[in-house]
Amino acid sequence: MTFQEFLIDSMVFAEGIAALTSIFLYKKTKNTQYQFFSYYLIFIFISEMLSRFGYLPFPKISYYNNFVIPIEFITLYWLYAWKSLDKRNLFFIFTALYLLSFIPNELYFTKNKVIYSFNYTFGSFLLMFLVIMEYYKQINSDNILNFSKNRMFYINLGVTLFYIGTLPFWAFYFPLLEHMEIYEIYRNYFWISGIIMYLLFASSFIWGKQNYS
């Protein structure tokens, strides 16, 4: 097993940990937005298992780019904009903009990778605004000293490391291929940050408290 194969397997394992943790601690989040975040984590893990074991009636590229990844972004837009920031209109606007990004992607961009770099970059760019707004909300909160009890603290940190941290990787995917050493380092970061993100998601269920959500 290569180091990269180990990282890929570890990320799937981390996804499983996050999903199982959300199930075991389901009572802590019942009747809250984090109940649906639990469903999201279960969906991600099942989707990964279906992909890895080959139970797909259509190409993996279409499966991820037209099904799994859009659900990832739209769910996070909902959790951030609608639920945490209480800005429903922003959720609808960002969701519409993200879905509209499929049009230029189909017309102008190469689609021979597992992840469509334009869609992913644009989706992450929108998510970055929500992440910044969430940080601002947390910093100005009366409960800032109890940040470790805030579920969104763990979620926001994980999203920052993975989606925002890898934004340049997908934005400059093809230029990076001309510099393989940098490309390999950044690709490894993609998997490592993904592992950390899902472990942070699991931590949000363990240490987060409802009255600080």
Side-chain angles (χ1 to χ4, degrees), residues 81-82 86-95:
W82 189 317
D86 195 26
K87 297 182 181 296
R88 296 188 180 187
N89 289 338
L90 196 60
F91 162 72
F92 290 115
I93 292 171
F94 276 27
T95 298

Side-chain angles (χ1 to χ4, degrees), residues 73-92:
F73 278 116
I74 292 172
T75 300
L76 290 173
Y77 295 159
W78 170 82
L79 181 63
Y80 274 85
W82 189 317
K83 290 299 180 178
S84 182
L85 300 171
D86 195 26
K87 297 182 181 296
R88 296 188 180 187
N89 289 338
L90 196 60
F91 162 72
F92 290 115

Side-chain angles (χ1 to χ4, degrees), residues 40 82 125:
Y40 161 78
W82 189 317
F125 184 74

Side-chain angles (χ1 to χ4, degrees), residues 63-75:
Y63 172 69
Y64 277 105
N65 288 282
N66 299 318
F67 179 60
V68 177
I69 293 176
I71 289 179
E72 287 184 21
F73 278 116
I74 292 172
T75 300

Side-chain angles (χ1 to χ4, degrees), residues 85 130-141 156:
L85 300 171
L130 297 176
V131 166
I132 293 172
M133 292 173 70
E134 178 63 30
Y135 277 126
Y136 181 82
K137 174 189 172 183
Q138 292 180 18
I139 291 172
N140 289 279
S141 171
N156 206 40

Side-chain angles (χ1 to χ4, degrees):
M1 176 183 291
T2 66
F3 178 64
Q4 195 164 86
E5 289 172 337
F6 170 76
L7 291 179
I8 294 172
D9 289 342
S10 296
M11 182 167 171
V12 176
F13 183 70
E15 291 172 350
I17 289 177
L20 288 174
T21 301
S22 73
I23 293 172
F24 290 142
L25 300 177
Y26 182 77
K27 288 184 179 180
K28 292 180 64 176
T29 60
K30 191 175 182 180
N31 299 322
T32 73
Q33 62 264 36
Y34 300 104
Q35 170 185 341
F36 298 97
F37 187 60
S38 174
Y39 300 155
Y40 161 78
L41 294 174
I42 295 168
F43 163 78
I44 292 297
F45 182 63
I46 292 175
S47 298
E48 194 69 48
M49 289 295 98
L50 290 174
S51 172
R52 287 176 67 84
F53 292 104
Y55 301 122
L56 296 176
F58 32 76
K60 186 177 294 187
I61 289 178
S62 297
Y63 172 69
Y64 277 105
N65 288 282
N66 299 318
F67 179 60
V68 177
I69 293 176
I71 289 179
E72 287 184 21
F73 278 116
I74 292 172
T75 300
L76 290 173
Y77 295 159
W78 170 82
L79 181 63
Y80 274 85
W82 189 317
K83 290 299 180 178
S84 182
L85 300 171
D86 195 26
K87 297 182 181 296
R88 296 188 180 187
N89 289 338
L90 196 60
F91 162 72
F92 290 115
I93 292 171
F94 276 27
T95 298
L97 289 173
Y98 172 70
L99 293 176
L100 287 172
S101 72
F102 278 84
I103 296 175
N105 190 83
E106 290 294 322
L107 294 176
Y108 304 112
F109 293 90
T110 303
K111 300 180 288 296
N112 59 353
K113 305 183 300 300
V114 175
I115 295 178
Y116 296 167
S117 60
F118 177 77
N119 280 115
Y120 196 88
T121 301
F122 189 74
S124 296
F125 184 74
L126 294 175
L127 188 57
M128 180 176 66
F129 282 99
L130 297 176
V131 166
I132 293 172
M133 292 173 70
E134 178 63 30
Y135 277 126
Y136 181 82
K137 174 189 172 183
Q138 292 180 18
I139 291 172
N140 289 279
S141 171
D142 293 335
N143 293 320
I144 186 173
L145 296 179
N146 298 304
F147 66 89
S148 62
K149 298 179 181 179
N150 185 350
R151 291 193 181 101
M152 282 304 296
F153 166 76
Y154 299 97
I155 294 171
N156 206 40
L157 181 57
V159 169
T160 300
L161 293 173
F162 183 68
Y163 287 97
I164 311 308
T166 60
L167 199 160
F169 177 65
W170 296 108
F172 303 103
Y173 184 87
F174 287 109
L176 284 174
L177 286 174
E178 299 177 4
H179 306 277
M180 289 304 297
E181 290 185 2
I182 300 176
Y183 172 85
E184 291 295 334
I185 291 172
Y186 221 144
R187 187 162 65 166
N188 288 340
Y189 173 81
F190 175 82
W191 300 116
I192 293 171
S193 62
I195 294 167
I196 296 173
M197 179 181 72
Y198 283 106
L199 292 178
L200 285 168
F201 286 174
S203 299
S204 73
F205 289 92
I206 297 171
W207 291 302
K209 303 294 182 181
Q210 183 54 36
N211 57 330
Y212 291 98
S213 64

